[in-house]
Structure formats: structure tokens, C-alpha cells
Amino acid sequence: MRTLAYLGISLFLTGCAQLHDPASSADSDSDKEAHKADRENREKAESGPESAALVPALVGPVPEAPKGAAEAGDGEDEEEAEAEAEAEAEEPEDFWSYFLPRLELDAPDDDNQVQAFIRFYRTHDTYLDRVFDRGKPFLPHILKRLEERDMPLDLALLPVVESAFQPFAYSAGRAAGIWQFTPGTGRHFDLEQNWWYDGRRDVVASTDAAVEYLHRLNERFDSWLLALAAYNAGPGTISSAIRRNERLGRPTDFWSLPLPRETRSYVPKLLALSHVLRNTGEYGIELPELPMEPGFRVVNLEKPLDLAKAAELSDTDIETIYRLNPGLNRWSTPPEGPGRLLLPKGTKEEFEEGLAKLDPSERVQWTRHEVEQGEALSTIASRYNTTVSVLQDVNDLRGTSITAGDHLLIPTSSASDREYALSKSQRLASIRGSGPSDRSKTVHRVQPGDSLWAISRRFDVDVDKLAKWNGMAPGDTLSPGQELAIWVEGGDDGGDGSSELQYQVRQGDSLWSIARKFNVSVDRLRNWNNLSQGQSLQPGDGLTIYVNPTQLAEHQG
């Protein structure tokens, strides 16, 4: 029995190394202990999304009773009814006073894994502080969605098990967001994933999807514990286990089924957390303050808006905007939607007043670009951190054909890249820029036919570490030209037998033009020369550049 308990703790502690959040680098080891990993089996979801019936809310004036219609004794009854209604309408003191008494999922007292996780949670109260601090803006919203579907409120704790409420978390199984949807399951529940936006990280959209998914699973298995198991392992896995036990004449409840080891730990984690929260007084745990109202307000946008401008109009900072809207990958709200932005509570009115006065041309900044000989729409889009489809739409282009001398209007960010620190590109740059202190970073440009496994063998590094250094999962595919950070033993050079040369900056040079000239990336130039984001060059500055010997002949001095 004791062996089983230790096995449960081991599973709990080892899964976290596979899930990371680039926006939460200060998390302690106990944060990592609670992270969720390896969600690829979620792709086994069997049934397609069904069209939910939309029931419009009917809101109208309540007809008054005719005067004098009350009979003897009605006045007293009405007073009591009004007093009860007022009591029910009173706002709870805080989230916890409302939430904790309504937790209902229980586990067997003698289950070793549940007891092991109870011991973990009750001895890691600082971990719970951090988790619930991250979940503070969103927990009341999740609670409301669960109540609307008459579902156990314990399910609001599932993001703790899944991601420790880290919206930028990305697991080894390619799952993302606080609910850890894999790409396939996300699309299954209409969570858009494109260059501008990832609905799996959108807390509002992914919460709706998770509630719907769990509701369907419970309808299918008629058990919330089996629904949770299916959320983790996929409904096909649970159905197969049930059929197996039925053939053998065995019980088909969660505790009796032969399930994957991860799933056998997954459900006890949630049950243990629910138990500990219901018994905080007994365990001496003091939970952080948490208001009953969500920490955000939703505003609807008809057209794209620069996030720096959104922060300015709401008198907040860009990081706060990203943390409330982690589904936004870039510097602006998506040109094709969703046209929704979450703002800190108390800022909506000021924001809407400022937006109404804002000239449409100020919503995003525009650059006029003259097409040079040999330029393609794709390279221009990459240079300006946008997409081909956006350039086509803005410039009324039907195809990708452009001519030297043409001018294109291009939407660009109003602030420097480093100001959008939680955009996807900056998160990845942050991940790639940090690695083991006893190693040096080199940059590898992906060639056709490359894979993470092949590159890991070539550089003699662990494939899981290689993926983690680049904010990827081991199973992710690579694209030719993509650059990977590799932390190797020894000096930091260009790899691939590259040779070092010294380049003197000339009048009119920029990092981008120099990088293009030597067919390397701007990030690589910054890394080789220890240049910070936004640092400008001056004529006469010297740069170290590593190039392939075959490229040296192309260097013009």
C-alpha cells in the first residue's frame, strides 16, 4: 500500500517537467510539481461537436398584483418572502465563502493516491497561494459557467491540476492554456488557432469549451469521475476499459477500471485538492483573498486595436492586457476576430470613452512600404511581423503577385517589440534566450528533412530538452528555415562548420539589413553580439558574424 502511495507522488512530481510557462519563470519547483503533461491522447475524442440549442433569455417587466387582492395573512407571508429573497440576493462576502461549502466530489478514505496528494497540498500552501493568485481574475467566471449547466463546482479546480492556472503553459503533448486543450480537441470545440490568435489560451472561449466537453462526457458515462478520466485519457480509452470489465463481470466505476497510469493519478489529484480546500481550518491553510466578481470586463471591438493603445486607453500596462487575453499571439487584436478584449475591472468605461474619441487611423499604426526587386509578399509580411492574408486584405490584392516599385500599406505595432513581452514571438525569444548556465547557445537553421530527434542526435542533446529550449513539444513538426536554440557544451558559434568574421557597421545599416545580407537571423546577430532588443547600431560599430565558408564570397566587404 505504501508503495502505491509513493508511486502516486512520483507520478505527480514527474509530470511537471513536461509542461512549462514562459511567462512564469519565477515559479518554484513546487509549481512544476503540479503541472500536467502528455495530453496527446485527448485527440481520441470520438464524437463531433454538436450544435447546442440557443435558448434566448426572456427579460421583461414583472406584472404587479392588483391592489387589494391580498387576503388576510398574505402581508406577513409577503414580508417573509421578501426577506428571504433579499437574503438570497446578498452578495457573498468573498469567493471562498460561497464556493467551498458547495464542493461535492468525494473519494474513498482508503485510497493511497488521494491521501498522497492530500499530503502534498496541505504541506504546500505557498504553492496554492501562487496558483489561486493566477486564477483570481477567472475563477468567479468559471464558477458561473458551471452553475449555469448545473455541474459540480469542484470542476472549477481542474485548471489547477491541468496547468496551475498558467494560461501560457504548453505541455509535451502539445496542449495549451489553463484547460490544456490539444490542437485537435481545440478545433473539435471550435477553438480557433491561427497566427494571430489561439483560442485554447483564451480563458473565456476555452472555459466554454471545457464546460461543454465535460458536460457531454458526463452525459455519456453518467459519472463525473469517469467524465474527468475521459477528459484526461479520451472517451475511447474509458469506453474500452468499461467494455473489458463488463466482459470479465467486474465493476465499471472509476476505481475499478484498468486505466492508464497518468489517468489513475489525474482524478485523485482533483479530489484531493477539493478535500483539502473543504478542510483548510483543520489543516491550518489560509487561502488568499478572492472576490466574488471576475477580475475583468469584456469589451467588443469592431476593428483591430493595437494592444499598446488598448493599455493606454484603459490606463493599464501591456502585460496586464496579455495576461487577461493570453489567446492573443501578436501585438494587436486579430484582424478577423474575435473582436473581444478583456480589461481589468473598473477600466471599461474609461476605455470605451477613449475609444469613441479615437480617430480610426490611430487604432493601429501604418507603414508605407515600397516593394524592392525580388521581394515577395511572404518576406515582407515576415519583416513587418504580420501575415500575407492581412497584406492582401489591406491592399486589396487578389493574389500574391507584387511588382518592384509598388507601394503597400502595412499595419505595424506602435511600440517596440520588447514592449509586447508576452506576445508569442517574445515569449519564444525569452525561452530560447535562457538555458543551462554551464552550456553555450548555438542556433541551428532547420533544413528540409530535419526533425527534433535527428537534430538532437546531431548535437548530442536530449530531444525533450531540445524541445523545451524552443518552447515546443517533442512531436512538433519543423519548417525549413526555422531556427532552433541549442545549448551545447563549449563555445557559442554558428554551428555547421561556420567561420567567424568581423563586420563594420556602415551608414544606413540595420540589424535586419545585415542579417539579410549574410543570410542569418536578427536573433542570431543579437545573440552573437550580446545586443538587447531595440538596441540600435552606429556607423563604425563592429559585429561578430558566423557564416558558412560558401557564403564568404558573397560578402562585399
Side-chain angles (χ1 to χ4, degrees), residues 83-106:
E84 290 177 0
E86 288 178 3
E88 291 177 358
E90 287 181 3
E91 278 290 327
E93 291 183 8
D94 64 358
F95 176 84
W96 300 117
S97 64
Y98 182 87
F99 178 68
L100 298 184
R102 290 168 171 79
L103 297 177
E104 58 185 270
L105 297 183
D106 289 314

Side-chain angles (χ1 to χ4, degrees), residues 38-48 173 181-186 188-189 213 217 220-221 229-241 243 258-260 262-263:
D38 196 11
R39 316 295 303 189
E40 285 178 325
N41 46 16
R42 294 259 195 95
E43 302 281 6
K44 300 176 183 176
E46 295 178 349
S47 59
F181 276 99
T182 57
T185 307
H188 194 78
F189 286 92
Y213 190 19
L217 291 172
R220 176 170 174 171
F221 296 107
Y231 188 90
N232 173 258
T237 300
I238 307 306
S239 293
S240 295
R243 288 194 295 269
L259 297 174
E262 178 192 333
T263 309

Side-chain angles (χ1 to χ4, degrees), residues 23 33 94 183 198 262 303 335 361-362 385 392 411 540:
E33 292 169 3
D94 64 358
D198 191 338
E262 178 192 333
K303 296 181 180 180
S361 64
E362 296 182 77
N385 200 23
Q392 289 173 319

